[in-house]
């Protein structure tokens, strides 16, 4: 046996220290440096850089606390929320658990917020996130104020406004056609004359007998009992009735045309409702990818087919590789972008539920161009569909 086979515990500890295998358990927040057990005390007492940091902090302790604790905690928390979840609605406790899993994180008890609920309410008051309270707890949604994201949103709003302007122009064009059609018809005003007779000696008699009689008998009796001036009056009254009937028919046509214009406007309103986006996107028979690491490496970044959707936000996913069935929330899944020419299903927006074909992908704007294959809009080519608004069909 050699001499190295009989090492004392102290020699073993020194060897471990020399190889850097000892755990670094102490962390100096002032200097942002991690130390070993026996070096931390020496660092706090005899290091000049540590003493200088203490002097700077003693001059304005409140500013130091805000800088190193509140601001850093807030920035790190929001950065994790932005990178990990984007603008999706997520439970605040899920984000906080992922945040504290980082070794060099700042604990909340070092900040001005006593609980996670207080911090969540503060985020909502400052306008940094959308927060809402549910029976399951507080949910937060990051508000992305990145210039590129805002520019994309403005472009989408501009495109929607152009579509609405085209629909309004169509409605105005229909109303203009209705107005021109009514102006082209001459509306004659009825003329009324007094009952007069040419010969004063001629008698005018009226037959006011009761009882039903045939139309031919009534016509013959009137013609025999009335004089020529009375017949002229009857003829003028009949012409007035005909004119009134033509006017009523024209008014009924005008109402029908106006009703058709109103129907167009109602259809536009229904289209607006139909194009409203929702915060749920799961649909059966689409291919999705698992993005959560809580299920282990076996399922991480693996693809599956949605077999059933439960309560809009939960799906039963059958894995393509293993055939296992998992029940997952939509926050743990993401859409799958197929190759151009493959079939897809639109999951959100005005074309929700329609199948189509992927034509091309724009990597700069994170969008794609598709061709609708089903429904009344079959054959329409749609540009600017975001990645999260469609997925590959199984």
């Amino acid at each position: 046996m050699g001499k190295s086979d009989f090492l004392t515990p102290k020699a073993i500890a020194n060897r471990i220290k020399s190889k850097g295998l000892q755990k670094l358990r102490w962390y100096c927040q002032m200097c942002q440096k991690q130390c070993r057990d026996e070096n931390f005390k020496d660092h706090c007492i005899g290091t000049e850089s540590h003493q200088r940091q203490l002097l700077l902090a003693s001059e304005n302790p409140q500013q130091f606390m805000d800088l190193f604790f509140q601001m850093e905690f807030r920035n790190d928390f929001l950065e994790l929320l932005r990178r990990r979840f984007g603008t999706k609605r997520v439970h605040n406790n899920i984000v906080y658990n992922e945040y504290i899993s980082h070794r060099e994180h700042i604990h909340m008890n070092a900040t001005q917020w006593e609980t996670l609920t207080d911090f969540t309410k503060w985020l909502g008051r400052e306008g940094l996130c959308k927060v809402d309270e549910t029976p399951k707890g507080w949910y937060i949604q990051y508000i992305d104020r990145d210039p590129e994201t805002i520019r994309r949103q403005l472009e989408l709003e501009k495109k929607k406004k152009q579509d609405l302007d085209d629909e309004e122009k169509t409605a105005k064009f229909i109303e203009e056609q209705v107005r021109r059609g009514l102006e082209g018809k001459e509306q004659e005003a009825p003329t009324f004359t007094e009952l007069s007779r040419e010969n004063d000696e001629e008698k005018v008699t009226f037959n006011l007998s009761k009882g039903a009689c045939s139309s031919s008998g009534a016509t013959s009796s009137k013609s025999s009992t009335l004089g020529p001036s009375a017949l002229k009056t009857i003829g003028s009254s009949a012409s007035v009735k005909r004119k009134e009937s033509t006017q009523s028919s024209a008014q009924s046509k005008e109402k029908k045309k106006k009703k058709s214009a109103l129907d167009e406007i109602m259809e536009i309103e229904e289209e607006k409702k139909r194009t409203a986006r929702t915060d749920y996107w799961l649909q059966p028979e689409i291919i999705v990818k698992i993005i959560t690491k809580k299920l282990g490496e076996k399922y991480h970044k693996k693809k599956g087919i949605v077999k059933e959707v439960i309560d809009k936000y939960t799906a039963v996913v059958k894995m393509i590789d293993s055939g296992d069935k998992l029940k997952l929330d939509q926050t743990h899944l993401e859409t799958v972008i197929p190759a151009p020419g493959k079939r897809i299903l639109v999951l959100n927006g005005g074309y929700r539920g329609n199948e189509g074909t992927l034509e091309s992908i724009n990597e700069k704007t994170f969008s794609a161009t598709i061709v609708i294959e089903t429904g009344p809009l079959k054959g329409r080519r749609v540009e600017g569909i975001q990645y999260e608004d469609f997925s590959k069909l199984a």
Side-chain angles (χ1 to χ4, degrees):
M1 291 187 178
K3 202 172 185 180
S4 59
D5 295 333
F6 299 97
L7 294 175
T8 62
K10 186 175 182 180
I12 295 173
N14 291 333
R15 178 171 290 184
I16 292 173
K17 293 176 185 177
S18 64
K19 293 182 179 181
L21 300 176
Q22 190 178 19
K23 291 183 178 180
L24 304 176
R25 297 181 179 178
W26 299 94
Y27 184 79
C28 179
Q29 185 68 51
M30 300 291 298
C31 303
Q32 298 183 359
K33 179 182 178 182
Q34 218 156 9
C35 305
R36 294 190 180 92
D37 296 349
E38 70 278 2
N39 294 337
F40 181 70
K41 186 176 181 181
D42 298 336
H43 170 77
C44 295
I45 296 174
T47 308
E48 294 183 2
S49 61
H50 183 80
Q51 299 297 327
R52 285 197 300 269
Q53 291 293 334
L54 288 176
L55 292 174
L56 292 174
S58 62
E59 293 177 359
N60 195 347
Q62 188 62 37
Q63 181 180 1
F64 179 82
M65 292 289 290
D66 293 341
L67 177 64
F68 282 93
F69 296 101
Q70 276 84 260
M71 290 181 63
E72 190 170 350
F73 176 80
R74 179 199 64 184
N75 294 338
D76 293 344
F77 187 90
L78 291 177
E79 181 65 18
L80 175 65
L81 178 62
R82 183 186 67 83
R83 287 188 292 101
R84 177 66 179 81
F85 301 98
T87 56
K88 295 181 180 179
R89 180 173 173 268
V90 64
H91 200 282
N92 61 350
N93 202 30
I94 295 176
V95 185
Y96 184 70
N97 287 336
E98 290 199 15
Y99 172 75
I100 62 177
S101 63
H102 184 58
R103 184 176 62 179
E104 297 181 357
H105 74 279
I106 295 178
H107 286 276
M108 187 174 290
N109 54 12
T111 65
Q112 63 179 357
W113 303 288
E114 296 181 357
T115 61
L116 183 59
T117 302
D118 295 338
F119 178 62
T120 304
K121 292 179 180 179
W122 182 85
L123 291 175
R125 288 194 300 268
E126 294 294 324
L128 300 173
C129 296
K130 294 179 182 178
V131 300
D132 59 314
E133 186 179 9
T134 64
K136 294 182 179 180
W138 286 86
Y139 282 81
I140 58 178
Q141 185 177 0
Y142 181 71
I143 301 175
D144 195 351
R145 291 188 171 86
D146 183 65
E148 183 66 21
T149 305
I150 294 174
R151 184 186 63 80
R152 285 169 50 193
Q153 291 177 353
L154 291 176
E155 289 180 355
L156 291 174
E157 291 177 359
K158 185 177 179 181
K159 185 178 179 181
K160 290 181 181 178
K161 187 177 180 181
Q162 288 178 354
D163 296 339
L164 293 177
D165 291 341
D166 293 340
E167 293 172 355
E168 291 177 358
K169 288 178 182 178
T170 305
K172 289 181 180 180
F173 176 75
I174 294 172
E175 292 179 358
E176 184 67 18
Q177 293 294 327
V178 173
R179 186 180 62 80
R180 289 181 180 179
L182 295 176
E183 288 179 355
K185 297 181 180 179
E186 296 181 357
Q187 298 181 358
E188 298 180 359
T191 56
F192 302 96
T193 59
E194 295 180 357
L195 181 62
S196 61
R197 54 184 179 178
E198 297 177 356
N199 189 2
D200 295 337
E201 296 179 357
E202 185 180 2
K203 294 182 180 180
V204 179
T205 59
F206 296 93
N207 187 6
L208 302 177
S209 61
K210 296 182 180 180
C213 61
S214 63
S215 60
S216 60
T219 306
S220 62
S221 63
K222 286 181 181 179
S223 61
S224 61
T225 55
L226 295 178
S229 60
L231 292 174
K232 291 181 181 178
T233 305
I234 294 172
S236 63
S237 63
S239 64
V240 169
K241 289 181 179 179
R242 284 196 297 271
K243 291 179 181 177
E244 289 178 353
S245 63
T246 55
Q247 289 177 2
S248 62
S249 62
Q251 290 177 357
S252 63
K253 290 181 180 178
E254 181 182 355
K255 288 181 179 179
K256 288 181 180 179
K257 291 182 179 178
K258 287 184 178 180
K259 186 178 180 180
S260 63
L262 291 174
D263 291 339
E264 291 289 337
I265 296 173
M266 292 298 293
E267 289 177 0
I268 293 172
E269 294 296 331
E270 290 178 359
E271 182 68 18
K272 289 181 181 178
K273 294 178 181 179
R274 192 170 67 87
T275 55
R277 293 178 59 84
T278 59
D279 58 347
Y280 55 89
W281 53 269
L282 290 173
Q283 293 288 342
E285 299 303 322
I286 62 171
I287 298 177
V288 294
K289 183 186 291 185
I290 298 177
I291 58 177
T292 181
K293 295 182 179 179
K294 295 181 178 180
L295 301 176
E297 295 296 330
K298 180 180 178 181
Y299 300 110
H300 183 55
K301 295 294 183 180
K302 300 296 182 181
K303 296 179 182 178
I305 302 174
V306 177
K307 291 298 182 182
E308 183 183 357
V309 179
I310 304 171
D311 297 333
K312 298 181 181 180
Y313 298 95
T314 308
V316 177
V317 181
K318 182 179 181 181
M319 305 306 297
I320 296 177
D321 296 338
S322 60
D324 299 339
K325 288 188 177 181
L326 306 175
K327 186 177 180 181
L328 299 169
D329 190 81
Q330 69 173 9
T331 56
H332 298 154
L333 302 171
E334 69 177 5
T335 58
V336 175
I337 311 300
K342 299 293 184 179
R343 294 173 62 249
I344 57 95
L345 180 68
V346 183
L347 307 176
N348 217 332
Y351 304 96
R352 178 187 179 94
N354 290 329
E355 297 181 8
T357 304
L358 181 62
E359 185 176 286
S360 61
I361 296 174
N362 190 343
E363 296 181 356
K364 293 183 179 179
T365 59
F366 303 101
S367 62
T369 301
I370 65 173
V371 178
I372 303 298
E373 299 292 344
T374 59
L377 303 176
K378 182 178 180 180
R380 175 174 291 187
R381 184 172 179 270
V382 185
E383 298 179 355
I385 300 292
Q386 301 299 313
Y387 286 169
E388 61 268 18
D389 291 343
F390 70 93
S391 187
K392 181 180 180 181
L393 271 173

